[in-house]
Amino acid sequence: MKPRILVIAGLSLAVVIIAVAVVLNLMTGQPATSPLADSTPTVSSSPTSPAASSATPSGEKPAPTTATPSAGQPEPSVTTSAAEPDESASPASNPPEAAPANPKAPAATPDPSRPLEVMAPAQQATAPVLPKSRTDGPLIKAPLPDEASANGEVVAGFPSTVIPTEPSSAVKISSVSPQDSILQVSLVAHSNLESLAVMQFYQKQFASLGLGAAEAPASAGSSAMWFTRGTDKITVTATPHPGGGTEYSIFGVLHAAS
């Protein structure tokens, strides 16, 4: 009988305590909590780190935290704090090196101790000076010589002022043949000079008389040129001689004044 009375008395006392707690909570504006609920420990689903709950003092850098990865999880990458500047990316910490001066570049202002080098101008090729051309009338005048020829010398009446022999030449044969106002002349000689030198001699001679020059067809091993002015025409052919020198021939058609 006594145990039952004690149980009832305990329950009544608990009800009174709860009622008093409810009244006190209503008076303070706080929700009523059961003493039994306070005595029950609360289990948190996510553990918190003591370092996370502690406040960071003002003006101090937060210490970087490193988490130890558990087995089977990828290792997290370590990142620097946003508050810490990256010294390697700072342009002020690594100033660019000045480019070395080019010793070959010209100075902004002339240096008396280092005079400028000026390249000498290239020499210009000078054209050969030709004798002054004659344009005063015909190359020959009437009366024309009689027809004739000679061996080993220049025939009489040959226009040597127009067609001279090369100074080192030995004449083999020469001839003149008139017809009305036209005089045909021919000459064969041997020169000690090479073919090119013989051609250059007559080029200079005929240029002084106003005759133009042009290359003419020739047989193998020979060279030939035409010299013309108006209706006058002279042909020179040069052939190297086997024993040395050059054998050349001249044929001309000249017009006398009427």
Side-chain angles (χ1 to χ4, degrees):
M1 188 68 180
K2 287 185 179 182
R4 185 175 180 180
I5 295 174
L6 292 176
V7 170
I8 294 173
L11 291 175
S12 301
L13 181 60
V15 170
V16 172
I17 293 173
I18 293 171
V20 172
V22 170
V23 172
L24 292 176
N25 290 333
L26 291 176
M27 293 178 63
T28 59
Q30 298 179 355
T33 57
S34 174
L36 296 177
D38 294 341
S39 61
T40 304
T42 303
V43 179
S44 176
S45 59
S46 59
T48 58
S49 173
S53 61
S54 61
T56 303
S58 174
E60 295 183 1
K61 298 181 181 179
T65 60
T66 58
T68 303
S70 60
Q73 294 183 357
E75 183 178 353
S77 58
V78 180
T79 58
T80 57
S81 174
E84 296 181 357
D86 188 0
E87 296 181 358
S88 62
S90 175
S93 61
N94 296 324
E97 297 181 359
N102 186 3
K104 297 183 178 180
T109 57
D111 188 357
S113 62
R114 298 176 60 186
L116 298 177
E117 296 182 1
V118 180
M119 298 296 294
Q123 295 182 355
Q124 298 181 353
T126 57
V129 179
L130 297 177
K132 186 177 180 181
S133 299
R134 280 180 51 186
T135 57
D136 50 349
L139 297 176
I140 60 174
K141 296 180 181 181
L144 297 179
D146 296 333
E147 184 174 355
S149 63
N151 294 325
E153 62 180 359
V154 177
V155 68
F158 190 90
S160 298
T161 56
V162 178
I163 307 175
T165 57
E166 194 277 317
S168 67
S169 300
V171 178
K172 291 186 174 182
I173 187 171
S174 62
S175 65
V176 291
S177 178
Q179 184 177 3
D180 298 332
S181 61
I182 300 174
L183 180 64
Q184 295 183 2
V185 298
S186 64
L187 182 141
V188 178
H190 180 271
S191 172
N192 295 329
L193 302 179
E194 295 181 354
S195 298
L196 179 59
V198 172
M199 284 297 184
Q200 289 176 345
F201 170 81
Y202 283 105
Q203 279 182 311
K204 183 178 180 181
Q205 166 64 21
F206 295 147
S208 66
L209 301 176
L211 282 79
E215 187 174 354
S219 59
S222 301
S223 58
M225 295 194 73
W226 285 326
F227 300 91
T228 58
R229 191 187 81 172
T231 56
D232 296 333
K233 183 174 182 180
I234 303 173
T235 304
V236 178
T237 304
T239 305
H241 194 274
T246 302
E247 187 164 321
Y248 65 94
S249 61
I250 300 176
F251 179 79
V253 178
L254 307 177
H255 294 74
S258 57

